[in-house]
Amino acid sequence: MGSPTVAKQRKVLDYLEELEKGMADRPEQVKDGLQIYVGLWRKAMENGVVAGSDDVEEALQKIEGAGGLYKAAEDA
């Protein structure tokens, strides 16, 4: 078994791809919510708040520092 630390070192792009793959089997409302969530993450990447190569844990700290996911995804 892998250590919990290794599991937390998942990259942002991998995390988002996993979420997108899991959308197909979800009810429509859950799909809509996931699309919004993934879209916010992608906009935060476009805005340079996080990078796709960041560890998720590191990216969450950056997002928190930016005032949250909505703030990180806002248009400049």
Side-chain angles (χ1 to χ4, degrees):
M1 273 191 195
S3 80
T5 304
V6 173
K8 288 183 180 181
Q9 293 180 354
R10 181 173 42 181
K11 302 297 181 193
V12 169
L13 280 179
D14 295 336
Y15 172 63
L16 296 179
E17 287 174 6
E18 288 175 27
L19 288 175
E20 290 173 327
K21 286 179 188 174
M23 280 189 216
D25 300 332
R26 305 286 182 179
E28 200 60 38
Q29 287 181 324
V30 174
K31 282 184 198 178
D32 291 345
L34 284 171
Q35 287 175 339
I36 292 167
Y37 180 71
V38 169
L40 290 170
W41 271 91
R42 292 199 182 280
K43 187 67 176 170
M45 286 190 312
E46 286 176 23
N47 291 346
V49 176
V50 297
S53 59
D54 287 345
D55 293 335
V56 172
E57 189 173 320
E58 175 187 3
L60 288 170
Q61 291 172 354
K62 290 179 179 180
I63 286 171
E64 185 177 322
L69 187 55
Y70 286 109
K71 286 281 188 193
E74 281 182 346
D75 289 327

